[in-house]
Amino acid sequence: METAEYGIVYAVHIISVQFGTVVSKVCECLLRKGPLSSRDISRFPESEINHNQVKDILYLLIQHNCVQAFSIEPPDGSDSKATVQYLVLLSNILHRGRYNKFSRIVNEELGSQCGAVLDGLLCNGRLTLGQLIERDQDSEKSIGSKVIKDSLQKLVAARFVERIPSPEPVLANKEHEPAKKRGPKAAKILKEPETLEERVLEAATPVDTIRFPLVFEQDSNSSIAENDNNITEGKRKQRDVDLSPTSNEVIWRPNFDEFIRRLRHKVCVEIVKERRDEGCAIVLRAMLEVGRSQEKKVKTDKSVPMSVGSIYEEVIKTEAGRTMLQERVEACLDQLCATSSYIPAFVIEMDSSYIVDFKSIISVAQKDEMEAVVMRRYGKEAFRMFRYLSQEGRFVETDKIADAALTEKKDTPQILLKMWKDSYLHMQKFVVTGGGSGYTSFLLWKVNKLIVTRQMLDEMYHASLNLSLRLTHEGDSEKELMMLSSKILKNTSEGALKERVKKVNAKRMLLSASRFKLDDAIMLFHDF
């Protein structure tokens, strides 16, 4: 899906706040122009940055997992050298506002010590085990090198942390790449990546045995784990900038895909709990746990097939599912496989196995979000029209929409036009010629989910940007007050100022909570 305008503006704002306006100019250039070489970026007048600065900024963005370098093989017989290009990763930039969500997942599942290690990687982008230990020694609450190593192993085993991808993968030149012959069965299973970003990320990602090693090997050149007192500040700074592939130490980074997968699974369970019942939610959670390791990408449409036995074994491992009999689990599976006029099947039964239909579950939540927006903005009559057209999935004449939505025929065209002007509906004019010179025209209407999704995402990016700007404004305007807040709170005579501090804190908490909730809706359409 093409990046919405406010998606670009919001991403640039995130980079500007965290790294400054100079870095955000390079980021915006890549977001708007697409992959470019460092030389090409420095040539654009809007960047206003020399080539050396551009290279430093790109290294910074790579360090924080916001940019991926790559090159494309030159054509056969060509003497030209492959040029390194830089691809900006919009999703990873948006993830920078979700670090609290990621930390919460790890703290709840693996504990605070693993959470502390993850926080170090989230703050610094990429670190070696040695750098994580050095960072711990510099902190006031040191947990020790052994705990750091054990926590990192747990994070890697749970796939919350991964080895960094290839620094500069080389893509095959598709124009001169021979077509691969595949059988009809293989053609159904294997699917070529559709976008350049998918091709680059696929080429850069190592195989799972390298990406998530089960055994850690201590670097022979590093004495950090053996002697914690031999670390100097200069040595630490040198390691921070020397992340070249020639280093013997393994460099680690957060695995954003796993965090988004966990959040996606959580949303799926909540949807099933709301639309079915608690028992169905317990069974679905067990199915997600069984099939999670087999998911190769976040936006998986369907899970791998699972037997009733494997599902039941996972169900009884949980506290909520220990009292459930297998008959009850089978009954829940039947419920999940059932369909109705408003709710599709969430699970597919096939050859005595069961498959989770992620696409079906997520589509229900997306539909609810779309209808809620239409209801708030255009009213109940528009909501009924939009729901009817969504269910039909085809072009429908104006009068038929009025009859189905139980609205006045004279008011229906105006309501439909309002939604069409805001890109919530697709319209076509159909002309029928009659006998002689006369003709009759009809307006046909349809919900195009792709267009509506793009429009809603753009509006949500815009709203999230406004909330972020308001938070920044509140922070700047009350900066002096917040700095004096500790002194004010000690002085009970300063009642008015004390109350003002409380209001400022309450306002900032409200804005943060609103942005947090809005980001859940953005993930529903962009990441899930």
Side-chain angles (χ1 to χ4, degrees):
M1 185 188 297
E2 186 179 340
T3 305
E5 171 61 23
Y6 277 106
I8 294 174
V9 177
Y10 182 44
V12 171
H13 169 74
I14 292 172
I15 296 296
S16 178
V17 169
Q18 298 185 3
F19 300 108
T21 55
V22 177
V23 177
S24 70
K25 287 180 180 179
V26 172
C27 182
E28 183 172 13
C29 187
L30 290 172
L31 283 166
R32 296 194 181 278
K33 307 288 184 182
L36 296 168
S37 67
S38 58
R39 187 72 65 183
D40 288 337
I41 296 171
S42 62
R43 285 178 184 144
F44 284 108
E46 56 264 33
S47 69
E48 301 175 351
I49 310 169
N50 64 48
H51 186 228
N52 288 332
Q53 282 182 301
V54 167
K55 288 196 293 185
D56 290 339
I57 290 169
L58 289 170
Y59 293 149
L60 174 68
L61 291 171
I62 290 171
Q63 166 72 18
H64 287 275
N65 308 302
C66 298
V67 165
Q68 172 67 50
F70 73 98
S71 59
I72 298 177
E73 281 183 348
D76 293 338
S78 174
D79 295 332
S80 60
K81 187 180 178 181
T83 304
V84 179
Q85 299 182 64
Y86 296 90
L87 174 74
V88 67
L89 305 175
L90 174 68
S91 295
N92 285 10
I93 295 174
L94 297 179
H95 291 336
R96 299 191 67 80
R98 298 166 183 154
Y99 285 177
N100 287 338
K101 295 179 181 180
F102 299 164
S103 293
R104 183 182 297 175
I105 292 172
V106 168
N107 281 310
E108 290 177 356
E109 184 170 327
L110 300 178
S112 59
Q113 292 177 340
C114 290
V117 174
L118 176 69
D119 288 343
L121 290 169
L122 291 173
C123 292
N124 295 276
R126 303 176 175 197
L127 293 173
T128 63
L129 173 59
Q131 289 169 336
L132 283 166
I133 293 172
E134 292 170 8
R135 181 179 179 274
D136 173 67
Q137 291 172 335
D138 290 341
S139 67
E140 295 180 358
K141 298 179 180 179
S142 176
I143 58 178
S145 60
K146 187 179 185 304
V147 175
I148 293 289
K149 184 177 180 181
D150 292 343
S151 298
L152 182 59
Q153 282 185 307
K154 290 178 184 178
L155 288 165
V156 174
R159 302 202 168 190
F160 290 128
V161 168
E162 63 180 354
R163 188 186 293 228
I164 64 167
S166 172
E168 189 188 310
V170 180
L171 303 186
N173 194 319
K174 295 197 83 173
E175 295 179 3
H176 298 81
E177 189 178 19
K180 296 179 182 178
K181 292 185 179 181
R182 290 177 181 155
K185 188 175 181 181
K188 291 180 181 178
I189 298 173
L190 299 173
K191 187 178 179 182
E192 290 293 332
E194 296 176 352
T195 65
L196 177 62
E197 180 174 334
E198 288 173 336
R199 290 181 64 205
V200 171
L201 295 180
E202 182 179 337
T205 304
V207 295
D208 283 356
T209 52
I210 297 175
R211 188 180 178 192
F212 308 107
L214 297 177
V215 180
F216 280 21
E217 294 182 4
Q218 182 67 35
D219 177 28
S220 59
N221 295 328
S222 175
S223 60
I224 296 172
E226 299 173 4
N227 187 357
D228 292 347
N229 297 321
N230 287 340
I231 300 170
T232 63
E233 184 66 18
K235 196 173 180 181
R236 186 183 69 82
K237 288 183 178 179
Q238 184 180 2
R239 288 177 184 268
D240 285 345
V241 296
D242 184 16
L243 296 177
S244 62
T246 57
S247 174
N248 291 326
E249 276 199 279
V250 176
I251 305 171
W252 305 98
R253 72 171 190 174
N255 178 18
F256 295 135
D257 283 354
E258 186 62 29
F259 289 109
I260 296 300
R261 183 179 290 111
R262 298 297 179 101
L263 292 171
R264 188 184 195 228
H265 287 182
K266 183 180 177 182
V267 166
C268 288
V269 172
E270 289 172 353
I271 293 167
V272 168
K273 184 177 179 180
E274 181 183 338
R275 293 306 181 102
R276 296 300 185 187
D277 57 33
E278 180 70 32
C280 290
I282 293 170
V283 172
L284 183 76
R285 188 183 291 111
M287 295 180 74
L288 297 177
E289 192 67 30
V290 171
R292 188 174 67 229
S293 62
Q294 301 298 318
E295 292 181 33
K296 300 302 179 185
K297 58 180 183 178
V298 175
K299 291 186 179 181
T300 302
D301 289 343
K302 292 179 174 64
S303 72
V304 295
M306 290 165 264
S307 65
V308 176
S310 63
I311 297 169
Y312 183 64
E313 284 178 14
E314 190 62 40
V315 167
I316 59 178
K317 287 179 183 177
T318 62
E319 185 177 349
R322 282 175 193 151
T323 59
M324 293 181 72
L325 300 176
Q326 186 163 327
E327 293 177 356
R328 170 65 174 141
V329 172
E330 290 174 356
C332 289
L333 288 170
D334 290 338
Q335 277 185 273
L336 291 167
C337 292
T339 60
S340 67
S341 56
Y342 293 104
I343 304 176
F346 294 148
V347 171
I348 302 167
E349 184 179 4
M350 184 180 295
D351 300 330
S352 300
S353 295
Y354 294 88
I355 299 170
V356 178
D357 191 342
F358 289 106
K359 189 174 181 180
S360 176
I361 299 172
I362 295 299
S363 68
V364 169
Q366 290 175 338
K367 180 172 167 288
D368 288 347
E369 189 68 30
M370 289 177 184
E371 290 177 354
V373 170
V374 171
M375 180 77 164
R376 289 195 300 268
R377 184 170 297 180
Y378 306 105
K380 291 183 179 179
E381 292 182 334
F383 162 75
R384 292 197 297 269
M385 295 178 195
F386 186 86
R387 169 173 279 191
Y388 169 70
L389 289 170
S390 296
Q391 292 171 347
E392 288 295 307
R394 60 182 177 85
F395 282 104
V396 182
E397 187 185 340
T398 307
D399 288 346
K400 288 184 178 180
I401 296 171
D403 293 338
L406 303 175
T407 56
E408 292 289 339
K409 291 190 175 181
K410 62 177 182 177
D411 299 328
T412 301
Q414 285 77 19
I415 297 172
L416 292 168
L417 279 169
K418 284 181 182 178
M419 291 191 283
W420 170 73
K421 287 179 180 178
D422 291 338
S423 300
Y424 279 82
L425 292 180
H426 188 45
M427 179 185 68
Q428 277 191 358
K429 192 172 185 179
F430 186 66
V431 179
V432 178
T433 56
S437 58
Y439 67 89
T440 306
S441 64
F442 300 92
L443 291 179
L444 304 176
W445 310 87
K446 177 186 175 182
V447 171
N448 186 318
K449 187 178 177 182
L450 185 64
I451 295 174
V452 175
T453 298
R454 187 184 297 121
Q455 176 64 23
M456 285 191 64
L457 266 176
D458 200 41
E459 292 174 358
M460 287 188 286
Y461 287 139
H462 192 183
S464 194
L465 172 66
N466 287 338
L467 285 170
S468 298
L469 290 171
R470 182 63 186 272
L471 267 169
T472 303
H473 171 73
E474 291 294 333
D476 291 342
S477 61
E478 303 291 343
K479 194 172 183 180
E480 184 179 351
L481 177 64
M482 299 302 291
M483 289 174 63
L484 297 172
S485 61
S486 58
K487 296 179 181 179
I488 294 170
L489 291 172
K490 291 177 183 177
N491 190 349
T492 53
S493 63
E494 299 287 349
L497 289 174
K498 186 177 178 181
E499 188 64 28
R500 190 179 172 192
V501 170
K502 288 183 179 179
K503 287 183 179 180
V504 169
N505 290 333
K507 189 185 296 184
R508 290 175 66 84
M509 286 181 65
L510 179 62
L511 289 170
S512 297
S514 299
R515 188 175 62 175
F516 196 85
K517 188 175 181 180
L518 184 58
D519 184 64
D520 290 341
I522 291 174
M523 284 194 294
L524 183 64
F525 288 94
H526 182 265
D527 299 285
F528 297 166

